[in-house]
Amino acid sequence: MTDFHHSRRRFMQLSGAALIAPPLLTGCSPAQAASSPASLPRKAIGMPFPSWGRLPDTIPPAPKEDSVGFAVVGLGGYAIGQVMPALAKAGRCHVAAVVSGNPDKAARVASAYGLPKDAIYNYDNFDELAKDDRVDAIYIVLPTGLHADWTEKAFAVGKHVLCEKPMALSPQEGERMISASKRAGRKLMIAYRCHFEPYNLHAMDLMRDKAVGTIKTIETFQHYRMGPTSPSENWRVVRSLAGGGALEDYGIYGLQAALYLSGETPSHIRAVTEQPAGDPRFAEIFASVRTEMQFPSGATASLFTSYDSAPGRNRVSVHGDAGTLLMDPATGYGGHKMTLTQGGKAKVLKPGDPSVQFSRQCAHFADAILDDVEIRTPGEMGLRDIRLIDAIYTSAAEDRVVTL
Ligand code: NAD
């Protein structure tokens, strides 16, 4: 047995935190667990215009002839703030339709993108997209608990699907999405934008070239303190829409980084969760998740994610036998910083503009559709990650090391 297989007490000493693992998720996945009646429902509904996300000042130029037309499903902060501007500037794609449960918001967004009235759909007439030749692909930007159902619906109307991260809330849902893609003969991609972002791509190259020698350990921190909220107003704290919470939403970036920087998937997982009583933010989800992973090579990773830890941090570091790579901030929309230390000398690296990640991701999916380019972040990658998230919660709930 390696040091990794320590007792629960030893784990908590190593972690330096008194986290407890409530049996909240034992025996059922977050997606299957019931929410309280006051929570936002696990069905697609109209919501107000988001608190962030600006519409363009001028209508984007008309698409080129071979451009891939996307219908954007769910007009929330990320769809309006990042997805739609990225589609408009990616070159080989464009916004061709919107799908929303709020007609006023949909009309406002459609008009800003120069879309005709008949390119506005809602959750009830979604099936009519099957007859709309302007739409080749559907971008799902709904709360995570709705990804599987709406991806299946999108394949049923014969379109390709780009789905936001995380893919879904349970491995079963992920499997359903992949099967639906195969049945329809249409492509499925998961929107893991860091695979198109220059800093993270350069970090992957550096690790492949052994810039820090043999990797010994990777540490990731993705956390912030969420303001007052509750399941009746915010899907991110509703278990049936968000799963366990911070891990699926934010910690997934640390999990992904540990995998794409090590180039491995873990063989053993040990995790603890924290869910403080009496806090409406954490009535249904965990406040924090701490995970230790061991890889087949012997390298380890330590991941911490939380909605209740300030100041916020988004940091990834890789420690090898010949150096260290530090990314801080590591996986955000911009402002990335990266330092490589070798032989005691630190070098600041600036491999490119992180803001290209959004449009490059969309352009890649267009390349996959038009030229059959292999998808860098396919459904299978999303499914791998949900299985790991499942293993993390199993470890915490059952208070044991999970062997994969
Ligand atoms: P949001 O709350 O701003 O928007 C969600 C939208 O979904 C709402 O505006 C509404 O139009 C629609 N919706 C339909 N049914 C709903 C329901 N029952 N409850 C709440 N909203 C409902 O959320 P967001 O931040 O835009 O996140 C949407 C998706 O995008 C999630 O999957 C999230 O993980 C992902 N996301 C990805 C990134 C990234 O960097 N890749 C960043 C933010 C969000």
Side-chain angles (χ1 to χ4, degrees):
M1 277 212 176
T2 67
D3 279 344
F4 184 76
H5 297 86
H6 44 64
S7 68
R8 174 175 163 73
R9 174 177 297 182
R10 175 87 181 113
F11 177 85
M12 288 163 67
Q13 284 166 352
L14 285 177
S15 304
L19 302 180
I20 50 157
L24 179 72
L25 299 176
T26 309
C28 63
S29 77
Q32 292 162 330
S35 295
S36 80
S39 307
L40 284 171
R42 193 172 191 227
K43 65 181 236 210
I45 54 169
M47 295 293 280
F49 199 92
S51 58
W52 72 283
R54 255 176 62 96
L55 292 171
D57 296 329
T58 52
I59 292 175
K64 295 196 192 100
E65 201 139 286
D66 73 338
S67 173
V68 173
F70 278 77
V72 177
V73 185
L75 300 179
Y78 192 64
I80 293 175
Q82 298 293 352
V83 166
M84 296 183 72
L87 286 169
K89 79 170 179 218
R92 279 191 115 182
C93 24
H94 62 278
V95 180
V98 289
V99 181
S100 169
N102 176 336
D104 294 337
K105 177 174 66 172
R108 209 176 134 194
V109 174
S111 135
Y113 279 84
L115 302 179
K117 283 203 171 63
D118 67 357
I120 302 174
Y121 292 85
N122 57 50
Y123 301 121
D124 296 324
N125 68 7
F126 180 89
D127 290 351
E128 291 172 20
L129 273 165
K131 295 186 288 243
D132 194 334
D133 292 338
R134 297 167 298 185
V135 174
D136 309 291
I138 293 188
Y139 196 145
I140 309 280
V141 209
L142 291 165
T144 310
L146 303 175
H147 288 183
D149 284 357
W150 286 89
T151 294
E152 284 186 326
K153 287 178 200 282
F155 284 129
V157 296
K159 311 296 180 182
H160 303 281
V161 177
L162 178 51
C163 179
E164 259 313 317
K165 49 52 65 178
M167 179 183 199
L169 293 183
S170 71
Q172 294 76 13
E173 287 183 347
E175 284 158 12
R176 269 172 47 204
M177 292 161 76
I178 291 173
S179 301
S181 159
K182 290 191 175 140
R183 268 198 314 276
R186 294 286 181 268
K187 313 240 179 214
L188 171 61
M189 171 166 154
I190 309 304
Y192 281 132
R193 56 179 169 72
C194 294
H195 291 258
F196 304 91
E197 187 282 307
Y199 279 76
N200 280 276
L201 286 171
H202 191 52
M204 292 176 207
D205 288 344
L206 288 170
M207 295 305 103
R208 229 173 278 129
D209 295 345
K210 303 263 175 238
V212 299
T214 299
I215 295 175
K216 295 294 171 188
T217 195
I218 297 175
E219 274 191 308
T220 70
F221 297 89
Q222 274 70 38
H223 58 86
Y224 67 93
R225 187 154 200 282
M226 189 180 250
T229 191
S230 75
S232 62
E233 60 182 21
N234 183 352
W235 71 264
R236 281 191 161 77
V237 299
V238 177
R239 201 192 312 167
S240 68
L241 292 170
L247 175 61
E248 285 89 335
D249 189 34
Y250 197 13
I252 193 163
Y253 290 98
L255 174 64
Q256 269 259 316
L259 305 190
Y260 59 65
L261 296 178
S262 68
E264 299 189 84
T265 43
S267 52
H268 298 85
I269 285 184
R270 184 72 180 93
V272 244
T273 50
E274 182 202 20
Q275 188 178 26
D279 186 330
R281 293 174 304 164
F282 308 118
E284 298 190 15
I285 61 157
F286 297 117
S288 311
V289 184
R290 185 180 292 274
T291 306
E292 292 199 5
M293 307 195 304
Q294 186 171 45
F295 296 105
S297 68
T300 58
S302 172
L303 324 176
F304 177 67
T305 187
S306 176
Y307 276 156
D308 200 26
S309 179
R313 228 180 344 167
N314 178 357
R315 176 183 149 121
V316 171
S317 58
V318 188
H319 306 266
D321 59 5
T324 301
L325 181 75
L326 172 65
M327 302 169 73
D328 187 4
T331 67
Y333 297 169
H336 294 51
K337 292 205 173 84
M338 184 152 93
T339 308
L340 177 65
T341 304
Q342 291 167 313
K345 280 204 185 113
K347 197 156 104 189
V348 174
L349 304 174
K350 295 183 180 174
D353 173 7
S355 74
V356 300
Q357 59 187 314
F358 307 99
S359 51
R360 283 199 184 157
Q361 173 180 265
C362 296
H364 177 71
F365 196 46
D367 291 344
I369 292 168
L370 295 172
D371 302 335
D372 210 21
V373 164
E374 191 181 343
I375 295 178
R376 222 182 277 173
T377 56
E380 287 73 12
M381 180 184 277
L383 177 58
R384 174 202 66 185
D385 296 349
I386 323 174
R387 287 190 173 132
L388 292 173
I389 288 171
D390 210 45
I392 288 170
Y393 288 133
T394 299
S395 168
E398 297 179 7
D399 190 12
R400 65 179 176 90
V401 173
V402 171
T403 304
L404 298 155

